[in-house]
Amino acid sequence: MVNSKIKAAEENLLHVYNRFPIAIERGEGMYVYDTEGKKYLDFAAGIGVTGLGYHNQELNDALKEQIDKICHISNLYYHENCGEAAKELNRICGMDRIFFTNSGSEANEGALKAARRYAYTKQNGRYEYIAMENSFHGRSFGSVSVTGHDSYREPFEPVVPGVHFAKFNDLDSVKALVSDKTCAIILEPLQGEGGINLASQDFMEGIRKICDENDILMICDEVQCGMGRTGNYFAWQGFGVKPDIITMAKAIGNGIPVGAFAMTEEVARYSLRAGDHGATYGGNPLSCTAVKKVIEIFEHDHIVDHVNQVAPYLEQRLEELVKELDCAVRRKGTGLMQGVEFNIPVGEIIQKAIAEGLLVIQAQGNVIRLLPPLIMEEKHVDEMIKRLKHALAK
Ligand SMILES: *Cc1c(COP(=O)(O)O)cnc(C)c1O
């Protein structure tokens, strides 16, 4: 029987999502509960958002306190949370200047504009972008224009002109596209949606070198792989290859909608000026409370260290699973951003997993993507493997 909450959604919402037929009511730590009271182990974290899991009391208390003071004031005025959140975010991502957005798409949109604005100041005639095949950068016009799946762009052509797609981890294919028109190269250091594909060290270093030699900006989209997920605060730190602009969102607010793009002082000097860009809600007192508090909790709970402690166990159990199953091809990814590639479509497996009380998500190329809250412990890995095996046996 279809539950009344699902019926209301079906009748009133635009049908752009393929939702699973469950209605989630609340969450607690690593688990969520549906309206029928059924419990699910969550290895999806709302698509990599709830790094601290659900119902973090310290975060909730801070948010409640802020709601009672003020939620919104606009960027016509200062609010202390905004500056403090930016300072903390700069510290952990290694940049100098932050612009707050409300989503990942919007962060990428801003980064793409920032790169063109940089070229405009320098009057160097550069406006083109190089992006990667199998990338995902969002659904707004700019972000979809650099997204490397034809099906996402085609219905909306003509999209932003001047975008060329290179093969991920193939430096020669990038070099072949570089011209005196290229203003930026955008990539995810660890592709999420595209199938959990980790950039190679050589690829990251090679792109940095191309950018340095040609005054091209390197933009790292860390919307999914940032904020602790790979065992560093930001994935670029694992390569020691520093981009010029970083985009982020998802886990930085743990569920409060907030994103950001961040750049070095050097780029900021030539980039967006007063009046060039804005967002009414961007960095409002509530979302900045979330960012500030999330970082504070990451620090005192040593979340990044914890990721490095538990990730090897997850990898080990997934490797065992791959060996055991004929339908599994390989494990992919790093930290708590993992995928298992299958030689069969995974949609049905995911549906069965949900029936078994386990939330996991799909990625391109028959990949089951695992993005557990970063507070995950080894016992949750055991439980996940058990439920996934049950689903596969059905
Ligand atoms: C989710 C995601 C986006 C888009 O973020 P939204 O908040 O949905 O706009 C952009 N880039 C990457 C890598 C993502 O995973």
Side-chain angles (χ1 to χ4, degrees), residues 103-106 108 136-138 188 221 223-224 249-250:
S103 70
S105 298
E106 224 186 304
N108 285 320
F136 181 81
H137 298 293
E188 299 151 86
D221 178 342
V223 170
Q224 191 165 148
K250 294 200 164 98

Side-chain angles (χ1 to χ4, degrees), residues 9-30:
E10 282 299 308
E11 287 175 359
N12 294 281
L13 292 171
L14 195 61
H15 290 190
V16 292
Y17 299 109
N18 290 314
R19 288 186 166 89
F20 294 103
I22 57 172
I24 301 298
E25 189 170 68
R26 66 188 181 87
E28 188 67 49
M30 287 288 297

Side-chain angles (χ1 to χ4, degrees), residues 52 227-228 233 294-303 374:
L52 297 174
M227 206 57 201
Y233 261 118
V294 165
I295 297 174
E296 207 181 304
I297 297 169
F298 261 72
E299 297 277 283
H300 71 59
D301 284 356
H302 307 288
I303 298 290
L374 307 181

Side-chain angles (χ1 to χ4, degrees), residues 47 102-108 136-140 143 188 190-193 221-225 247 249-250 258 337 369:
I47 319 189
N102 309 289
S103 70
S105 298
E106 224 186 304
N108 285 320
F136 181 81
H137 298 293
R139 305 291 199 157
S140 61
S143 61
E188 299 151 86
L190 173 49
Q191 292 186 331
E193 175 94 10
D221 178 342
E222 297 231 19
V223 170
Q224 191 165 148
C225 63
T247 63
K250 294 200 164 98
V258 54
M337 187 160 168
R369 183 170 26 155

Side-chain angles (χ1 to χ4, degrees), residues 95-97 114 244-246 261-265 267-268 271-272:
M95 294 281 128
D96 305 308
R97 299 275 166 189
D244 301 295
I245 303 178
I246 299 173
F261 60 94
M263 61 184 79
T264 61
E265 191 69 55
V267 174
S271 193
L272 302 165

